[in-house]
Amino acid sequence: MSLSLYYYYLSPPSRAVLSTMRHLGLEPKLKITSPLAGDTKTADFLKINPCHAIPVLNDDGFILNESRAILMYLCNKFPNGKVLYPEDAVKRANVDKLLFFDGTTLYPAITGSIMRPILRAKTKPSTEELAVVTEKMATLETIMGDSEFVAGNEVTIADISIAVTIPILKAMVNENFITAKLLRWYERVLVKIPALKQLNEEAFNGYIGLKHNLLSATSN
Ligand SMILES: N[C@@H](CCC(=O)N[C@@H](CS)C(=O)NCC(=O)O)C(=O)O
């Protein structure tokens, strides 16, 4: 078995895949690919993923991009994957629902309203941009209800997919931006998935440095 992962530590979906792999006892060969350095736009990388994005998994020649599809694939393929992706149809449908909510709604709001202003315009997100994310996080809380985790009372790949963006909110905005309920949920996820805790801490420090470098240039 040969597993490799095109990865960058500041990429939330990359961290979702790597922490899931480590949780399942899989250690891929990492192919460090920095979008900030233009590594996703090279001719060689575009042959691997025409969508010019990481993460990309190479499993013995089977190439797969889109982090949530990779998470599902890993859990389907490896026997212990069911610990993070329940086999029961209803429970699995709830996990899928949260993965789609993240992929179509929450994650695009965070990248569009928080990362884009900082990376592209080198300005802090506006009040209106922050409100876009606040509204999606409130929706997440409503969906969770009284559950321990986003799709029920067991930690799943949906928690991992969503929890990888928390360091962005903490570093690029601040911890008070996240509600107490979501902070408690995040701590529960980190206790269950230690591999994620380590990767997210490394990313938090990287985001703080990035924010400092980008925003100090425009004294924001
Ligand atoms: N929906 C994709 C998003 C991947 C994505 O946006 N990756 C970013 C890094 S976080 C990237 O590689 N961007 C470089 C580019 O678009 O050229 C996934 O979940 O895998």
Side-chain angles (χ1 to χ4, degrees):
M1 178 179 70
S2 153
L3 286 166
S4 51
L5 181 66
Y6 292 81
Y7 174 87
Y8 193 61
Y9 80 114
L10 293 180
S11 155
S14 295
R15 291 196 301 281
V17 173
L18 184 57
S19 55
T20 297
M21 294 183 84
R22 289 184 171 163
H23 192 76
L24 298 180
L26 305 166
E27 189 58 50
K29 187 194 292 179
L30 292 183
K31 293 181 178 285
I32 304 301
T33 308
S34 167
L36 299 174
D39 297 347
T40 51
K41 300 273 176 67
T42 66
D44 281 348
F45 187 80
L46 289 171
K47 284 184 210 145
I48 292 160
N49 182 9
C51 302
H52 55 81
I54 50 166
V56 180
L57 179 76
N58 183 340
D59 177 7
D60 265 334
F62 171 58
I63 306 232
L64 186 62
N65 69 299
E66 283 299 336
S67 61
R68 295 161 195 85
I70 299 172
L71 298 179
M72 293 162 149
Y73 170 75
L74 291 166
C75 290
N76 286 329
K77 172 160 179 176
F78 294 96
N80 58 347
K82 54 180 165 303
V83 301
L84 293 176
Y85 196 36
E87 289 177 308
D88 172 81
V90 170
K91 287 184 179 170
R92 182 165 284 205
N94 270 324
V95 176
D96 293 343
K97 180 182 81 172
L98 267 297
L99 286 170
F100 281 92
F101 169 73
D102 182 37
T104 61
T105 305
L106 183 60
Y107 185 69
I110 292 171
T111 51
S113 299
I114 293 179
M115 290 310 279
R116 187 171 299 142
I118 294 174
L119 289 176
R120 300 231 179 121
K122 300 185 176 41
T123 58
K124 285 182 183 169
S126 65
T127 307
E128 291 75 21
E129 284 166 327
L130 293 179
V132 170
V133 178
T134 302
E135 193 263 334
K136 307 300 178 218
M137 291 200 300
T139 305
L140 175 64
E141 281 199 20
T142 304
I143 296 171
M144 271 181 76
D146 293 329
S147 299
E148 293 275 295
F149 295 99
V150 294
N153 286 323
E154 305 294 334
V155 71
T156 68
I157 49 175
D159 293 285
I160 296 175
S161 187
I162 294 173
V164 289
T165 47
I166 297 295
I168 291 184
L169 305 179
K170 285 188 175 186
M172 299 302 194
V173 191
N174 61 59
E175 185 149 331
N176 298 333
F177 183 64
I178 309 164
T179 62
K181 176 174 170 168
L182 287 182
L183 283 174
R184 285 194 301 273
W185 155 78
Y186 181 59
E187 289 306 318
R188 285 195 291 274
V189 177
L190 296 187
V191 168
K192 293 278 185 187
I193 316 286
L196 178 64
K197 181 175 164 63
Q198 187 242 320
L199 294 177
N200 269 4
E201 279 171 5
E202 188 190 7
F204 174 81
N205 293 327
Y207 293 135
I208 292 284
L210 195 61
K211 179 182 175 185
H212 178 77
N213 288 342
L214 291 174
L215 298 188
S216 62
T218 54
S219 64
N220 264 284

